[in-house]
Amino acid sequence: MSRRSHPTIRLGVVAIALLTLVAQPSTAAADDPQTDVAPLAPTGGAALRAYLARPDHEPVYEHEGDISAAVVVHNNWVKAVGDEEFRAAFPSAWDDKINASIERADDEMFVQFGIDMRVYTILQWDTSPDGVRNCSGSVNPELQADFAIGSGNTVAGYTAQSFTSGAGCRIGNYIVVRRQNTNETIEKKNRWVVTQHEFSHVYLAPDRYNKPDSPQHPNDVMEDPYNGYDWWCTTAPWNDWAIVNSNSDQFD
């Protein structure tokens, strides 16, 4: 499996490049929530069929290949971990699945913002206790207690624990993504879509779904990550694109 180089940690390197410059909308003031919970994926019927029918592609490794170099790249060095339930679900390839999820999640973030999530290590994690748990109240604090950010920028934990609600959460520079479905065709997409949503929180874009102040907010990454993935709205007064863009350099 490929890994990416880190300036202070010598591990395997995965490299690539690409960036399309886009016009920058005016920057909106960022809402900076410290706790965010991702919504659950559709599980059946027309909603699930529409979700799976949307176009997708294999993850891009932004520093590998003969694609034109980006003018500005904002690296986010990620320490990724998988808990025992997640590893048990994929005994021979759990780390590859985590790496691919993060890589696919940052593809459009790289194109639009120059954000490159670079996985420099993937570690084993043991979550306890087993059973139904609260993501932001229990699992994410455990992740923070178990893994220091260290010389990286963010920590991403992947779990197959059951949650009281939601599919993932972010607190500060720590994100958690939960396995929602045993059907890997569905879950492969769920993993990177939720990862993209949670990393957008790291760049200070807030949740928009079920918010009384956002009834007309369009279905972008922050409103409905399953049907609005790969784009961030520029609609006034929210402008999620400008929020992510204005915070894209926070780890430079």
Side-chain angles (χ1 to χ4, degrees), residues 62-136:
E62 282 77 20
H63 286 76
E64 192 175 73
D66 54 352
I67 306 174
S68 59
V71 176
V72 178
V73 176
H74 307 294
N75 290 326
N76 178 344
W77 295 97
V78 182
K79 178 185 294 182
V81 304
D83 77 353
E84 70 275 27
E85 287 88 1
F86 189 90
R87 299 195 305 273
F90 311 107
S92 63
W94 65 272
D95 49 353
D96 288 322
K97 292 184 182 298
I98 289 175
N99 193 49
S101 297
I102 295 172
E103 287 298 340
R104 176 61 184 88
D106 84 347
D107 289 351
E108 197 64 23
M109 298 183 82
F110 189 80
V111 169
Q112 298 196 38
F113 312 113
I115 294 170
D116 187 5
M117 267 95 80
R118 304 186 66 174
V119 178
Y120 70 91
T121 188
I122 299 183
L123 305 173
Q124 295 187 11
W125 180 29
D126 291 323
T127 48
S128 180
D130 295 335
V132 179
R133 300 178 63 188
N134 181 278
C135 185
S136 58

